[in-house]
Amino acid sequence: DGTKIADLVLPATREVQMRVLSDPEIYELEMERIFGKIWNFLGHESEIPNSGDFVVRDMGSDQVIISRDKAGEVHVMLNVCPHRGMRVSVLDGGNTQIHKCIYHGWAFRPNGDFIGAPVEKECMHGKMMCKEELGLKKARVTLYGGLIFATWNIEGPSFEDFLGDAKWYYDMLFKRSDRGLEVLGPPQRFVVRANWKAAGEQSAADGFHTLTLHRWLGEVGNYAKKNEDGTSADLSPEMYGVEISSPHGHALRCIDLARKISRLTGLDPKELSVQQKLDALPPAGMHKDMVEQLARNLSPEQLQVLTTMPPQVGGIFPNVLFGFVYIPQPDGSVLGSLTLHAYVPRGPDKLEFVNWILAEKDAPQELRERILKQTIQLFGTSGMVEQDDSDTWPHITLSAKGAMGKKQTLKYQAVYETGAPEGWPGPGMVNEGFTKDDTQWHWWMYWRELMTSEV
Ligand code: FES
């Protein structure tokens, strides 16, 4: 309707035009300018441990095959046969050394190279292209702590450049242990009738909604213990900490460990050494016997953050959320829950919610089983927390479809730029205090930057 793309996000007043959450043309442009260019999260390499293992996933509006070859390398290829465009794999995953198209039988290796076709001599007589040119379209791939990312932007920024300062913090979650993380089974998947950005911008460390949408967490004592007289826990102290924004839209919320220790264990953190704090509340998902691995894998400065303001919830632009959350247990112990979501776009008003549950490879079996059970109960398809979230996103999307609703704006007013706490050793745009809109506002600013860039 003549509105410039740049005017969909208004920096002067920190507003976003609501129509971005429903407009089909904007959605199509996002597929090209965002998902067609950035590093897309697709899964975890532990999903395809053996030669020939593969899974099929969505990379923006395209389907891709993620497979491991005989040399152990992970490849991501467009699931489109170069012959007549059929999907080469019509499965969700499996194991094969030959991906054979069911239409006319062209065959491809797990790295996407063309092998051959049936009755090749007859059918390819007079062919114009050599075998090297007949393979599947290959994406550029990187592995980060076992997480698989891929991009069609072959000459674009490296994944490290894309993460930028956020990497220093994310290493504390994904690269903290000797052997790293792995998935506990295939991801849960379900469709939500909502625009992907309703979920995506929440993944940019929106902490504020916990106080109202997830209020029951305090009422049942499943986030902070109830008060001694049995009344509900006040969750607002949980909202204090440090938030890290990124010029590339990544976001992280770190929670004050001292508050966590006193609220979850009843111990006085002022009386505890760093080691005693780690023993009292090991990083979420780590067994206490693994804590000694931290010093081998992280710098002293990262350890300082981990033992004062540990990262808890955050996102990787544009559609990934991770949570390394402490959950009090009925027996008085505390369990860590490790969850990783992708909100995969499936149309202007539809997303697929994909939920991976993680565990440390070195965690004892009993702990892995408890993490799996706890995380399923709280996060994902049947999870109590995400039932709340996935109820709001469709309403927001419907609001953005209304003749009047689409003319309204989203208002990001709580941008304070309070700055980092004194002595903060980490890089990046850091703000302390009560949870705010800073991280989400930077998410939208990067969305605007990508959407207005034609390169
Ligand atoms: Fe795949 Fe013809 S479309 S072999």
Side-chain angles (χ1 to χ4, degrees):
D1 66 354
T3 310
K4 285 196 208 133
I5 298 289
D7 292 340
L8 295 171
V9 177
L10 302 164
T13 50
R14 294 198 194 101
E15 290 174 278
V16 176
Q17 307 271 4
M18 245 181 116
R19 53 179 284 200
V20 303
L21 295 171
S22 61
D23 189 305
E25 281 183 60
I26 292 170
Y27 177 85
E28 289 304 326
L29 205 57
E30 288 171 338
M31 293 305 106
E32 282 179 28
R33 295 191 178 177
I34 296 180
F35 291 91
K37 287 199 303 195
I38 51 118
W39 287 95
N40 291 266
F41 172 64
L42 298 171
H44 195 276
E45 67 163 337
S46 59
E47 295 179 74
I48 46 169
N50 304 308
S51 165
D53 284 352
F54 73 96
V55 289
V56 175
R57 297 274 154 79
D58 291 294
M59 187 158 144
S61 50
D62 293 300
Q63 204 175 63
V64 291
I65 302 171
I66 306 155
S67 72
R68 192 182 288 276
D69 69 13
K70 280 187 178 158
E73 206 176 325
V74 173
H75 301 271
V76 174
M77 300 97 59
L78 190 65
N79 189 17
V80 173
C81 181
H83 183 221
R84 294 288 191 278
M86 175 63 192
R87 287 196 162 161
V88 174
S89 178
V90 290
L91 304 172
D92 278 345
N95 180 284
T96 184
Q97 293 298 337
I98 302 172
H99 291 274
K100 188 172 163 189
C101 179
I102 60 168
Y103 197 0
H104 311 90
W106 281 30
F108 307 90
R109 294 190 203 288
N111 68 359
D113 286 351
F114 177 71
I115 299 172
V119 285
E120 195 172 321
K121 248 191 208 157
E122 288 79 357
C123 290
M124 295 213 172
H125 181 71
K127 68 182 179 192
M128 307 291 288
M129 293 177 147
C130 61
K131 284 196 169 184
E132 285 67 36
E133 296 169 293
L134 297 176
L136 301 179
K137 167 88 178 160
K138 297 178 189 184
R140 182 175 164 204
V141 181
T142 196
L143 299 181
Y144 169 67
L147 308 179
I148 303 168
F149 290 84
T151 178
W152 301 118
N153 195 354
I154 306 299
E155 304 294 332
S158 68
F159 180 73
E160 294 225 335
D161 286 346
F162 174 60
L163 272 195
D165 289 335
K167 182 178 181 303
W168 192 88
Y169 298 96
Y170 294 176
D171 283 356
M172 281 184 257
L173 303 172
F174 297 107
K175 303 186 90 167
R176 62 189 183 177
S177 59
D178 293 347
R179 297 207 306 132
L181 297 158
E182 64 182 352
V183 294
L184 295 177
Q188 300 178 311
R189 298 159 71 173
F190 65 110
V191 169
V192 183
R193 292 266 170 200
N195 183 276
W196 70 273
K197 295 188 294 304
E201 68 112 46
Q202 191 201 69
S203 73
D206 184 318
F208 189 25
H209 74 285
T210 308
L211 289 179
T212 45
L213 188 66
H214 304 308
R215 183 178 165 71
W216 62 269
L217 284 163
E219 289 173 354
V220 302
N222 209 344
Y223 195 68
K225 281 185 174 169
K226 283 187 164 193
N227 300 322
E228 274 176 11
D229 62 3
T231 54
S232 304
D234 173 11
L235 291 184
S236 55
E238 302 290 324
M239 299 298 116
Y240 284 89
V242 162
E243 290 178 341
I244 293 110
S245 305
S246 155
H248 290 168
H250 314 307
L252 182 66
R253 200 147 63 86
C254 302
I255 300 294
D256 184 347
L257 186 67
R259 284 177 199 264
K260 278 280 176 198
I261 287 175
S262 61
R263 289 170 68 78
L264 291 175
T265 69
L267 298 169
D268 181 356
K270 287 197 283 301
E271 305 285 314
L272 303 177
S273 67
V274 168
Q275 190 56 50
Q276 285 169 327
K277 282 185 199 170
L278 284 170
D279 289 341
L281 208 55
M286 269 194 140
H287 190 269
K288 60 181 171 31
D289 292 346
M290 294 179 65
V291 165
E292 46 107 21
Q293 295 185 16
L294 294 169
R296 276 200 292 278
N297 296 294
L298 302 175
S299 69
E301 290 77 17
Q302 286 170 312
L303 276 180
Q304 183 189 330
V305 169
L306 199 62
T307 53
T308 52
M309 289 279 176
Q312 179 168 285
V313 179
I316 299 174
F317 186 90
N319 64 337
V320 178
L321 176 137
F322 53 80
F324 286 53
V325 182
Y326 298 105
I327 311 290
Q329 302 294 294
D331 66 1
S333 64
V334 179
L335 186 66
S337 178
L338 279 60
T339 186
L340 188 65
H341 305 333
Y343 306 117
V344 181
R346 286 296 186 100
D349 56 2
K350 197 156 76 167
L351 66 87
E352 185 179 50
F353 187 141
V354 190
N355 176 39
W356 291 262
I357 299 169
L358 303 170
E360 291 286 351
K361 285 181 186 161
D362 282 344
Q365 186 57 23
E366 184 264 345
L367 177 59
R368 296 155 65 87
E369 285 168 13
R370 289 181 70 200
I371 287 175
L372 180 62
K373 189 172 162 200
Q374 178 73 77
T375 310
I376 286 172
Q377 284 174 354
L378 279 181
F379 304 102
T381 315
S382 57
M384 294 184 286
V385 173
E386 248 97 29
Q387 293 298 317
D388 296 342
D389 294 312
S390 54
D391 198 32
T392 62
W393 305 328
H395 287 296
I396 293 166
T397 306
L398 282 172
S399 302
K401 280 183 175 179
M404 185 54 72
K406 71 170 69 159
K407 292 180 187 154
Q408 306 305 302
T409 61
L410 311 170
K411 298 162 180 71
Y412 292 77
Q413 301 304 294
V415 177
Y416 295 131
E417 295 169 353
T418 48
E422 213 182 316
W424 183 259
M429 295 187 282
V430 182
N431 291 301
E432 68 171 328
F434 191 78
T435 182
K436 299 176 278 295
D437 288 344
D438 296 70
T439 50
Q440 288 164 88
W441 180 247
H442 286 288
W443 187 96
W444 278 110
M445 288 300 287
Y446 190 50
W447 179 90
R448 181 180 190 256
E449 184 183 324
L450 290 175
M451 289 290 281
T452 51
S453 165
E454 290 181 28
V455 183

